[in-house]
Amino acid sequence: MNDNHPAGQGPARPLTVADALALPVLAAGLPQVVTGMADMDRPVRWVHITELTDPASFLRGGELVLTTGMPLPQDAAGVRRYVDELADVGAAALVIELVRRYHRPPEPLVDACRRRGLPLVALAKDVNFLEVTQVVHALLLGNQVEAMRRTQRIHEAFTTLTLRGAGPEEVVRAAAEMSGRTVVLENLVHQALICEPSGLTVEEALADWERRSRATGPGDSTAVRAPEGWLTASVEYQGERWGRVAMLPARTEGAAFGPEEITLLERTAMALTVARLIHPTPWESTAHRNALRDLVEQRHRSAGDARARCSALGLPADRGHFVATLVDLRAGEGVPEIESLLLRELSMAGAPALVGELAPDRLGILLALRASRTWRPLVERLSGSVLSLAPEAVVSVGSEVTDLTETARSFREAARVAEATPPRQPLPSDRSFHELSDIGLRRLLYAVREDARIQEYTERQLRRLIDHDTQHGTDLLTTLRHYLDAAGNKTTAARRGGLSRETMYQRLRTIERLLARDLEAGDQRTELHVALTALDVSRAG
């Protein structure tokens, strides 16, 4: 699986021809690779000592064939036949000792091995072939026992995951950790829903994902598929193929996928099939939600990772502009229904977007639009559809941004708009959503009404007046409100309060005395106006 696992945590790669030649028992013979230097990574399955002219009948493939050269035919045709039989059966390499019959590799043998691509290794010194066999076989048998143990651990791990009801993210993460390879789960339309990178970055794994995935041949069996050599297995749902899970090759050349990787991916696919049955929420919805949260919280390791992940989910990362929209619902208004409604509207409008639940009763929408398309008509359409189903919902929008990595700012702005929008806040006359330009003083104070500093300021400015009204049954606070709303015009304030001008003057003098304020001073009127507005929104909230 992966050569880079810490000791005891991952499978070791198969013993290769190069490994065998590096063992002290063979290295003592001063081995020289005569042909097949590029094939030194061939796995060695067994060691076979032979002095027969037709050793191939005793081989099964993958053997390191040891010979003194004594049985080699005298004629070139016989040598070619000897090599052809070894190559046809799949021998790993031919090792010839240059001590007894030959002191340099015969040319017909070299030519035949080079023609058939069979590695030929010459030993300049005498080597105990029996000792070579014992050492290599001990290593091979040890590897086989360890491979069986690893396979058992794979089965146990995925059985535990299945019995625990693990979700798809946990299953894919386990596969990536156990294999040391990047593992990706995709649906039938080639959207990468989950990517657990290992040895690759998200950007390297998911770049141009849909095109690469479509070029990778389909198939129901677990197998390595061209052109990139992905190991894939089908994931089913209710007896039909739902998607597939892919294990990607390492960035650098390494050991090919072997039986353990196949076993691991098959168990991964089985665990995902079970998880698909017990987790009813569509995995596309979960993938959108996770991608949105990562964007909002800026958890991507790089801008390239963010773009690759969103593109692999079907959101073009190279669009002209992006707009964040939030839909806040009353508890119990049906988030799944609203989410389905939004997805239908977006599909009919032909607008790529990510839609997902960012918090309880809050849906997030990220629109990706071409530079030539304005966002307002689309958001108005979405907002109108939401309000027709959930009349008390609040739809808020952030400003548009031109880069995917800046969408966190757009979501923060939309969140500030939502926080500054009281329940049943009247909508603007020209639209059904709220945006930053709607936030005036009253809505700003509403957003921070629970801040202790605002509460302390309000109390310090108005406490004496409120206490006076409470103790004497007066309503000086309302008089102050009429006066401030009239921008200091006493006549207008008296008319609004249904008072005579003399009574208004008298009350204003009382207010000035209680608060120790000069109501003719503009800055002091502003301070009192802010405090009174904060008090009103706090009581309304």
Side-chain angles (χ1 to χ4, degrees):
M1 292 182 183
N2 189 332
D3 306 347
N4 301 321
H5 284 285
Q9 293 186 14
R13 59 181 175 79
L15 185 74
T16 65
V17 174
D19 295 332
L21 296 181
L23 294 172
V25 68
L26 269 174
L30 304 179
Q32 177 188 2
V33 180
V34 181
T35 68
M37 178 62 76
D39 294 318
M40 288 296 100
D41 60 349
R42 285 187 177 185
V44 174
R45 188 185 62 82
W46 208 242
V47 176
H48 185 76
I49 304 171
T50 183
E51 300 299 342
L52 301 175
T53 58
D54 58 344
S57 58
F58 296 94
L59 305 180
R60 294 294 180 269
E63 291 86 359
L64 187 70
V65 180
L66 307 180
T67 182
T68 61
M70 298 298 291
L72 286 178
Q74 297 286 347
D75 58 310
V79 171
R80 285 196 300 271
R81 183 173 61 253
Y82 181 88
V83 172
D84 285 342
E85 290 179 358
L86 293 179
D88 289 343
V89 81
L94 175 63
V95 179
I96 181 171
E97 187 183 73
L98 303 179
V99 176
R100 294 169 176 80
R101 180 176 176 183
Y102 298 104
H103 296 287
R104 62 190 179 111
E107 287 303 320
L109 181 63
V110 174
D111 292 341
C113 288
R114 183 176 292 116
R115 180 177 59 85
R116 289 304 308 269
L118 178 67
L120 174 63
V121 179
L123 299 177
K125 290 188 175 182
D126 189 22
V127 167
N128 187 327
F129 283 174
L130 182 58
E131 187 178 352
V132 172
T133 301
Q134 291 173 337
V135 171
V136 174
H137 286 181
L139 287 173
L140 292 172
L141 290 172
N143 284 349
Q144 290 175 10
V145 171
E146 181 56 29
M148 291 175 62
R149 291 173 179 165
R150 288 192 298 268
T151 300
Q152 182 63 28
R153 286 197 291 267
I154 290 171
H155 287 293
E156 291 174 353
F158 281 92
T159 298
T160 300
L161 287 172
T162 300
L163 292 176
R164 197 171 68 236
E169 293 91 350
E170 190 175 358
V171 172
V172 174
R173 188 181 309 116
E177 290 175 351
M178 295 181 73
S179 66
R181 305 287 181 98
T182 296
V183 179
V184 180
L185 174 67
E186 69 169 10
N187 60 13
L188 287 178
V189 294
H190 303 277
Q191 292 178 342
L193 306 184
I194 302 174
C195 173
E196 280 294 335
S198 182
L200 299 173
T201 64
V202 172
E203 183 178 9
E204 289 170 328
L206 297 183
D208 199 14
W209 177 264
E210 182 178 348
R211 181 194 62 78
R212 293 162 58 209
S213 177
R214 290 185 182 279
T216 302
D220 295 329
S221 62
T222 304
V224 177
R225 306 192 187 281
E228 296 189 35
W230 294 357
L231 180 65
T232 68
S234 293
V235 178
E236 295 185 352
Y237 179 57
Q238 295 181 343
E240 296 184 355
R241 192 161 64 91
W242 172 87
R244 67 178 175 180
V245 59
M247 186 179 290
L248 309 190
R251 182 192 294 111
T252 55
E253 297 233 356
F257 294 120
E260 290 177 43
E261 285 89 357
I262 293 174
T263 298
L264 176 58
L265 203 65
E266 286 176 343
R267 287 308 309 264
T268 302
M270 290 172 60
L272 288 169
T273 296
V274 174
R276 190 69 187 85
L277 291 171
I278 63 178
H279 292 276
T281 301
W283 289 355
E284 289 83 357
S285 177
T286 304
H288 281 210
R289 178 200 67 197
N290 292 341
L292 281 174
R293 290 180 179 179
D294 286 347
L295 285 172
V296 170
E297 298 172 20
Q298 297 180 297
R299 293 190 297 212
H300 290 287
R301 293 181 58 185
S302 69
D305 281 6
R307 295 188 184 98
R309 185 179 180 192
C310 290
S311 295
L313 282 173
L315 183 84
D318 56 353
R319 287 295 170 96
H321 53 275
F322 303 86
V323 179
T325 303
L326 296 177
V327 177
D328 287 283
L329 303 165
R330 286 192 314 166
E333 272 190 321
V335 170
E337 291 79 2
I338 298 296
E339 184 175 352
S340 298
L341 170 68
L342 290 169
L343 290 171
R344 286 196 302 271
E345 290 289 345
L346 288 164
S347 177
M348 288 188 291
L354 295 179
V355 180
E357 189 174 13
L358 296 180
D361 303 314
R362 169 172 283 185
L363 283 168
I365 309 165
L366 178 61
L367 303 173
L369 303 174
R370 298 188 185 279
S372 59
R373 185 172 185 179
T374 60
W375 59 267
R376 288 182 177 276
L378 178 57
V379 173
E380 178 64 32
R381 174 176 177 174
L382 297 176
S383 180
S385 297
V386 168
L387 293 176
S388 67
L389 195 61
E392 295 195 23
V394 174
V395 180
S396 52
V397 185
S399 59
E400 66 179 4
V401 296
T402 57
D403 192 280
L404 184 68
T405 58
E406 298 175 356
T407 54
R409 173 167 60 84
S410 187
F411 273 110
R412 284 196 300 271
E413 293 173 353
R416 285 201 293 270
V417 174
E419 291 165 1
T421 304
R424 294 172 292 281
Q425 171 72 26
L427 287 163
S429 59
D430 60 337
R431 49 189 158 83
S432 59
F433 59 87
H434 303 269
E435 57 182 324
L436 278 172
S437 60
D438 298 330
I439 302 178
L441 175 61
R442 181 173 295 273
R443 290 178 64 171
L444 177 62
L445 290 172
Y446 176 81
V448 296
R449 66 192 183 281
E450 296 180 359
D451 191 309
R453 292 168 295 181
I454 296 295
Q455 295 173 359
E456 188 275 334
Y457 175 82
T458 303
E459 185 70 9
R460 176 162 44 84
Q461 294 286 339
L462 301 174
R463 179 178 56 81
R464 292 178 181 175
L465 193 61
I466 296 171
D467 289 348
H468 184 277
D469 281 346
T470 301
Q471 294 168 9
H472 298 88
T474 55
D475 195 10
L476 294 178
L477 196 66
T478 299
T479 300
L480 178 61
R481 181 179 293 107
H482 289 319
Y483 176 73
L484 295 174
D485 287 345
N489 188 306
K490 297 181 180 68
T491 302
T492 301
R495 185 173 62 251
R496 289 179 178 177
L499 303 173
S500 67
R501 292 185 62 181
E502 184 58 35
T503 302
M504 173 61 69
Y505 293 158
Q506 181 183 356
R507 290 190 178 186
L508 290 178
R509 285 194 294 272
T510 302
I511 291 172
E512 287 181 320
R513 177 177 56 81
L514 290 170
L515 298 181
R517 290 284 185 169
D518 179 7
L519 294 181
E520 295 297 325
D523 60 337
Q524 295 189 32
R525 283 209 308 267
T526 299
E527 291 173 355
L528 290 171
H529 199 178
V530 170
L532 189 56
T533 303
L535 178 65
D536 289 343
V537 298
S538 176
R539 288 175 172 178

